[in-house]
Amino acid sequence: MPRKVFVSHKKEDSGTASKVAERIKTNGIATYLDVIDDALASDGPELADHIRKRMSECDQLVAVLSTTTKDSWWVPWEIGVASEKDFRIASYAEQYISLPSYLQKWPVLQTMSEVDLYCEYSKRNEQVTVRKMDEAYSADRKSTIFKSGIGDFHKELARALVTKRRGY
């Protein structure tokens, strides 16, 4: 089962981020959402260390995006950390916004039913990955399988979102 989703967002998007986190939890996946974390009153290196510590408890990231996200330093930083840690990554944007090209690498969720689809594919991918890892013999092979599973997750979820949006 997936461990935990880090919900990244700009402070102004806390309401939407809370809804997304709650929906993910409803689907049986734990979340970390910083609106409930008192340690975030600090800034600078202490805050970066704190966020990295919280992210180390997670294996996925959903970035809540809006027109205000472009003014954030932290959301892109968190996405970068998640990418380096080989997290499963998706973005959530309720309205159309022009995304920077690097974010087009990962699926974009637009509705709560698409958050449900994200959770379904996340659980499915986790089961397949664990099964493959159990069948593997070496640590190197397990790492390769884990990384290929992340790519499969992104591709399969993106395909499912296109199909859902076309009404199939």
Side-chain angles (χ1 to χ4, degrees):
M1 193 63 72
R3 287 188 306 159
K4 192 182 279 189
V5 177
F6 187 96
V7 180
S8 175
H9 67 285
K10 189 158 173 37
K11 185 171 145 183
E12 290 81 358
D13 298 321
S14 293
T16 301
S18 293
K19 290 176 191 171
V20 169
E22 190 57 41
R23 190 63 170 249
I24 293 169
K25 284 191 248 179
T26 299
N27 277 278
I29 301 174
T31 64
Y32 170 77
L33 181 63
D34 68 12
V35 295
I36 56 170
D37 197 333
D38 294 336
L40 295 173
S42 65
D43 197 7
E46 295 83 20
L47 179 57
D49 290 343
H50 177 76
I51 291 172
R52 286 184 62 80
K53 181 179 181 205
R54 292 294 177 232
M55 290 183 82
S56 72
E57 300 165 359
C58 301
D59 62 353
Q60 301 181 57
L61 178 135
V62 172
V64 175
L65 307 176
S66 71
T67 55
T68 64
T69 309
K70 69 182 182 310
D71 298 324
S72 173
W73 289 92
W74 288 108
V75 173
W77 183 81
E78 290 165 351
I79 293 168
V81 170
S83 180
E84 276 298 307
K85 292 178 173 276
D86 289 320
F87 279 21
R88 292 179 182 101
I89 299 173
S91 297
Y92 177 87
E94 288 181 331
Q95 72 268 357
Y96 174 79
I97 57 172
S98 181
L99 295 176
S101 59
Y102 77 92
L103 283 180
Q104 296 169 8
K105 177 179 179 176
W106 302 291
V108 178
L109 315 172
Q110 297 175 331
T111 65
M112 288 299 161
S113 66
E114 291 181 2
V115 172
D116 296 338
L117 194 61
Y118 167 89
C119 294
E120 176 187 333
Y121 275 78
S122 177
K123 290 178 188 177
R124 184 183 307 172
N125 181 260
E126 182 78 12
Q127 291 168 348
V128 169
T129 302
V130 167
R131 188 184 77 245
K132 286 180 180 178
M133 287 178 69
D134 286 345
E135 294 168 357
Y137 296 110
S138 71
D140 288 341
R141 179 76 176 126
K142 287 181 182 182
S143 177
T144 300
I145 291 168
F146 179 77
K147 289 180 181 180
S148 74
I150 292 168
D152 293 343
F153 165 76
H154 292 137
K155 289 175 196 168
E156 291 170 11
L157 178 58
R159 259 194 310 269
L161 289 168
V162 168
T163 300
K164 179 177 177 38
R165 290 174 186 156
R166 290 183 180 160
Y168 297 123

